[in-house]
Amino acid sequence: MKRNKYIIIGFVIMCFNSLYQYSWNALEPLLREGFNVSVVEIALGFTLFSVFSSVFQPIGGHFADKQGPKRIGVISAILSAIGFLGTYLSPNIYVFFVSWSIGSIGEGILYGIAANLAMKWFRERMGFATGIVSMGFGIGSAIANPFISMAGNYRIVTLAIGLVEIVLLPILLYISDYPPKLSGQTPRQAVLSVKFWLIYLSFATSIVPLTVLSSELSILGKGLPQQELVTLISILPLLSGGLRPIFGYIADRLGILRTTFLLTIVLTLGSISLLLGEIALSTILVGFAGGSLITLYFNVSTEIFGFKFSTVNSGILYTGKALGGVLGSIIFALLYTISLRTSEIYTLSCSLIGVLTLLPLLFTKQSRKVQ
């Protein structure tokens, strides 16, 4: 039971983390109306989340690997709650941007800690354990989104989430820890490897369809009946989170790298569906593969570079989500203002880059097995 508690802690942390990403589609109309801003202006909020959560994850990971996750985890939990409480108190869009950025810093660090609680404690079942923990990064929003969609304004929602989070998460992080005596390559060794940058580029571009639908589904689906749109907004995080243990289980048996490659292909099919105007099918395919893909890239990095510095190494890799966030939110929104077709072709192009940059790693691994 000792190590099983870390799965539960990580799962709960991920449930709250998911509200920053997968509840954005539900929050975005409330925020846009409340602050009286345009689609492009409010899209900056999602971009700031992607950047700050990603950039600060390796910084938090450094302290977590060196000193343990407790102290940096408690601080990050408070920062994450400030993101919602600060939004509740925001008188204008600029204060919201600041508050949301502060909260995103905490969310990013917590994401790395939660995932690594699973990877470090369950090294023999890394894919499955990480899948269970990261399932929360979908389930939390799937539960919250219908209530957010029914809310009259963003203040009610953000106050409720912030109050619960600032009480619960610091307690859970205070009782968290990493196992001793782990081995692995240092961050310096990892980033000097060509393999790392192939993984990085594939990760950053593969997640663009997921970022697009996470941030812009309410815009892309504006022609759909309201009930269908709300359903899709709820289905996206449910699929993204709920299938992660299944694909983690498959990855432990089929191979983490091979499973990751197959899911990049599924995401590409989702991008093709978006180009064809099949919003519902695209949402299902992207939800099916997208969430699992993020944690599998963490597993790929850890499988290659080891466990001792996995929080900071996966944190450096996670900065690719900042790039993917910029590509899939603000850049997509700007291209969308030019034409819908341009933005959809762009999304498909990113997906294809993600597939192609993973191929060299796959072939290298297979050729070694043949030898």
Side-chain angles (χ1 to χ4, degrees), residues 10-31:
F11 176 83
V12 174
I13 292 170
M14 284 293 196
C15 283
F16 282 94
N17 284 357
S18 72
L19 302 179
Y20 273 91
Q21 176 161 332
Y22 289 123
S23 289
W24 181 261
N25 278 314
L27 278 170
E28 190 263 356
L30 301 178
L31 294 168

Side-chain angles (χ1 to χ4, degrees), residues 212-266:
V212 166
L213 290 181
S214 297
S215 63
E216 307 295 345
L217 182 54
S218 59
I219 304 300
L220 292 170
K222 63 183 179 182
L224 299 173
Q226 180 63 22
Q227 188 57 47
E228 181 178 348
L229 179 58
V230 171
T231 301
L232 290 177
I233 288 174
S234 298
I235 284 177
L236 179 63
L238 185 62
L239 287 173
S240 176
L243 293 174
R244 295 185 190 200
I246 296 174
F247 284 116
Y249 179 86
I250 293 171
D252 286 336
R253 282 148 183 80
L254 181 62
I256 289 173
L257 186 57
R258 188 178 295 131
T259 306
T260 303
F261 178 72
L262 291 175
L263 290 184
T264 62
I265 294 175
V266 175

Side-chain angles (χ1 to χ4, degrees), residues 1-308:
M1 177 61 189
K2 180 182 177 181
R3 68 174 185 169
N4 289 339
K5 72 178 181 181
Y6 296 115
I7 293 288
I8 299 172
I9 291 171
F11 176 83
V12 174
I13 292 170
M14 284 293 196
C15 283
F16 282 94
N17 284 357
S18 72
L19 302 179
Y20 273 91
Q21 176 161 332
Y22 289 123
S23 289
W24 181 261
N25 278 314
L27 278 170
E28 190 263 356
L30 301 178
L31 294 168
R32 186 154 38 95
E33 180 180 354
F35 293 122
N36 191 27
V37 293
S38 68
V39 171
V40 174
E41 286 176 300
I42 201 64
L44 180 58
F46 193 86
T47 301
L48 288 170
F49 153 70
S50 298
V51 171
F52 279 94
S53 67
S54 303
V55 169
F56 278 86
Q57 189 176 135
I59 298 173
H62 167 77
F63 290 104
D65 282 334
K66 186 176 181 179
Q67 303 172 355
K70 182 182 299 185
R71 183 182 302 175
I72 187 65
V74 170
I75 294 172
S76 301
I78 294 172
L79 292 177
S80 181
I82 288 174
F84 287 101
L85 295 175
T87 299
Y88 164 73
L89 296 170
S90 296
N92 55 56
I93 191 68
Y94 303 107
V95 178
F96 162 71
F97 286 154
V98 173
S99 301
W100 204 244
S101 298
I102 291 172
S104 299
I105 292 171
E107 186 278 338
I109 297 173
L110 290 178
Y111 190 105
I113 290 173
N116 278 273
L117 283 172
M119 289 194 293
K120 289 176 185 286
W121 282 106
F122 293 85
R123 299 184 292 281
E124 77 285 2
R125 290 178 291 162
M126 179 171 59
F128 182 58
T130 312
I132 292 176
V133 166
S134 62
M135 180 171 60
F137 202 78
I139 298 297
S141 291
I143 295 171
N145 285 354
F147 296 100
I148 295 173
S149 298
M150 292 186 292
N153 61 73
Y154 70 88
R155 294 187 188 276
I156 298 173
V157 174
T158 53
L159 176 62
I161 295 171
L163 289 176
V164 174
E165 189 171 16
I166 202 166
V167 173
L168 179 60
L169 290 195
I171 296 174
L172 294 179
L173 270 302
Y174 185 77
I175 59 175
S176 297
D177 203 359
Y178 284 160
K181 299 180 180 179
L182 298 173
S183 62
Q185 296 184 38
T186 65
R188 177 182 174 83
Q189 291 171 319
V191 299
L192 291 177
S193 166
V194 174
K195 289 182 180 180
F196 180 86
W197 294 108
L198 287 172
I199 298 169
Y200 188 93
L201 181 58
S202 180
F203 174 55
T205 52
S206 290
I207 64 169
V208 167
L210 179 64
T211 306
V212 166
L213 290 181
S214 297
S215 63
E216 307 295 345
L217 182 54
S218 59
I219 304 300
L220 292 170
K222 63 183 179 182
L224 299 173
Q226 180 63 22
Q227 188 57 47
E228 181 178 348
L229 179 58
V230 171
T231 301
L232 290 177
I233 288 174
S234 298
I235 284 177
L236 179 63
L238 185 62
L239 287 173
S240 176
L243 293 174
R244 295 185 190 200
I246 296 174
F247 284 116
Y249 179 86
I250 293 171
D252 286 336
R253 282 148 183 80
L254 181 62
I256 289 173
L257 186 57
R258 188 178 295 131
T259 306
T260 303
F261 178 72
L262 291 175
L263 290 184
T264 62
I265 294 175
V266 175
L267 273 179
T268 302
L269 294 175
S271 297
I272 293 172
S273 301
L274 185 64
L275 182 62
L276 296 175
E278 299 293 336
I279 303 297
L281 178 60
S282 179
T283 302
I284 291 171
L285 289 172
V286 171
F288 182 82
S292 301
L293 199 64
I294 294 176
T295 50
L296 281 175
Y297 272 104
F298 273 28
N299 293 161
V300 169
S301 173
T302 302
E303 185 179 55
I304 293 174
F305 301 112
F307 292 90
K308 184 173 183 179

